[in-house]
Amino acid sequence: MPAGVQTSLEALLSLKAEARGFSFLPRQPVTSLLAGRHSSRLRGRGLDFLEMRHYQQGDDIRTIDWRATARLRSPHVRVYTEERERPVLLVVDQRRTMFFGSGRAMKSVVAAELSALAAWRTLSSGDRVGGIIFNDHEIIDLPPHRSQTRVLRLLHEVVRHNRMLVEQIDASPSPATESILNMSLEAALRRAKHDHLVVLVSDLDGGDENTQRLATQIAAHNDMLVLAVYDPLGASLQGHPGMIARDRGVNFAIPSGRSFADSFEKAFAAVLDRWTEIFRALRVPVLPISAATSPTHQLRDLFGAHLARRTTIS
């Protein structure tokens, strides 16, 4: 099976070498992508203020709080402690809606690659990583752990779900579990009580008001990031006479003509804009990831290799 249609454990293992030049948890300047354009709450790991105390011999003079010193009329320093770790929970979509691609790879393969890149990057940063992997009928919940064994287990489950999509090509589709996207977010909410980074890798198909509610609850006590995987053909479709599309076991004739193409493109943009606005209100970045180009390059472009180089990677 071509690599773009189906992934393998070997392919996801090989991405370990490419998981560099970006970070989900950098110490970011105010003008960075996640701090500004998307109003993100992603803080990264840095220093938390602990207390103010009298200056003692040997203290770094750079920690002196001059305002407090002037007010209290004796030298005072600000004491910091390292911020708590931030486990990463990957919520990876492998539903049949993800089994679509017109160029480099299926959306499902790109989602698998993104999860591998994120897992390897998190592990190399010294943080725990876990996952919620789901398809139309099953949810796998893997608690975050700081070990290569956990990453391998996570990637194994992603590959297993990815291969199931290929095995079901000729099978009659059975009814999908109702709102399994929301059920997966509920699992993420139970797992990520607080101070996690929850990364949703999905095409957001089937999202509704309950999806918004669950995202609100997750973002209330955690950082959240959405990698919205799309295919260019799914964003802009030009119909031709006799062209047939199949969705959830139903065939549709695709109209030809410019009006259909314009309406299709506007409908896709409207859905993306709606979810972008919903997540922006929650201060959750939504980053579109195209299935037509390398996800590694897109992550480096979006998060900035230059930013990762000039900041301390946690």
Side-chain angles (χ1 to χ4, degrees), residues 110-173:
V110 173
E113 293 171 333
L114 289 168
S115 63
L117 288 165
W120 289 125
R121 190 71 194 94
T122 300
L123 185 64
S124 68
S125 299
D127 286 304
R128 292 183 290 146
V129 60
I132 307 290
I133 304 100
F134 66 101
N135 58 18
D136 291 286
H137 306 285
E138 181 183 25
I139 299 174
I140 300 297
D141 183 350
L142 299 176
H145 197 274
R146 191 184 295 106
S147 71
Q148 182 162 296
T149 301
R150 177 44 42 91
V151 174
L152 293 176
R153 172 72 192 286
L154 188 154
L155 299 185
H156 171 78
E157 290 296 343
V158 170
V159 169
R160 183 173 71 85
H161 282 71
N162 186 262
R163 289 182 173 177
M164 288 172 63
L165 289 171
V166 177
E167 294 167 0
Q168 296 168 356
I169 290 178
D170 297 324
S172 300

Side-chain angles (χ1 to χ4, degrees), residues 45 179 261:
R45 185 193 290 150
S179 302

Side-chain angles (χ1 to χ4, degrees), residues 128-304:
R128 292 183 290 146
V129 60
I132 307 290
I133 304 100
F134 66 101
N135 58 18
D136 291 286
H137 306 285
E138 181 183 25
I139 299 174
I140 300 297
D141 183 350
L142 299 176
H145 197 274
R146 191 184 295 106
S147 71
Q148 182 162 296
T149 301
R150 177 44 42 91
V151 174
L152 293 176
R153 172 72 192 286
L154 188 154
L155 299 185
H156 171 78
E157 290 296 343
V158 170
V159 169
R160 183 173 71 85
H161 282 71
N162 186 262
R163 289 182 173 177
M164 288 172 63
L165 289 171
V166 177
E167 294 167 0
Q168 296 168 356
I169 290 178
D170 297 324
S172 300
S174 55
T177 302
E178 188 70 21
S179 302
I180 197 158
L181 171 62
N182 293 336
M183 292 171 63
S184 301
L185 290 177
E186 288 173 352
L189 182 61
R190 289 191 298 270
R191 177 62 60 193
K193 298 294 186 182
H194 58 80
D195 294 325
H196 283 60
L197 170 60
V198 179
V199 182
L200 173 60
V201 187
S202 173
D203 61 0
L204 297 175
D205 183 78
D208 54 21
E209 290 76 10
N210 198 29
T211 309
Q212 181 180 354
R213 178 185 64 81
L214 290 166
T216 302
Q217 291 178 301
I218 292 172
H221 301 289
N222 302 277
D223 287 324
M224 189 174 181
L225 175 66
V226 178
L227 300 180
V229 183
Y230 74 96
D231 186 274
L233 186 61
S236 179
L237 178 61
Q238 179 68 55
H240 298 283
M243 182 180 286
I244 300 294
R246 184 177 179 83
D247 180 42
R248 296 173 178 84
V250 180
N251 292 334
F252 299 91
I254 299 179
S256 58
R258 188 68 249 174
S259 61
F260 169 77
D262 290 342
S263 299
F264 187 92
E265 190 169 345
K266 288 178 181 177
F268 175 85
V271 172
L272 181 60
D273 288 346
R274 174 176 175 267
W275 282 109
T276 300
E277 288 302 317
I278 287 173
F279 283 115
R280 180 179 287 123
L282 302 177
R283 304 176 70 187
V284 172
V286 178
L287 306 180
I289 302 291
S290 172
T293 58
S294 164
T296 305
H297 295 157
Q298 292 182 77
L299 287 180
R300 289 175 182 165
D301 289 342
L302 288 167
F303 288 92

Side-chain angles (χ1 to χ4, degrees), residues 15-86:
L15 290 175
K16 183 178 182 179
E18 297 187 27
R20 52 186 173 78
F22 66 92
S23 175
F24 294 125
L25 300 172
R27 294 191 181 100
Q28 301 173 77
V30 175
T31 55
S32 73
L33 170 70
L34 298 182
R37 175 179 165 191
H38 293 279
S39 301
S40 172
R41 298 188 309 109
L42 294 182
R43 296 173 292 275
R45 185 193 290 150
L47 298 176
D48 280 337
F49 174 71
L50 180 62
E51 63 177 350
M52 185 85 67
R53 64 166 171 78
H54 283 284
Y55 174 84
Q56 299 174 5
Q57 186 174 0
D59 285 338
D60 190 335
I61 62 172
R62 291 175 297 182
T63 63
I64 294 177
D65 188 308
W66 296 106
R67 290 186 179 181
T69 296
R71 185 173 65 254
L72 300 172
R73 298 188 178 184
S74 63
H76 277 69
V77 296
R78 297 175 68 88
V79 180
Y80 295 87
T81 183
E82 187 174 357
E83 188 176 294
R84 292 187 300 271
E85 68 169 353
R86 196 172 303 280

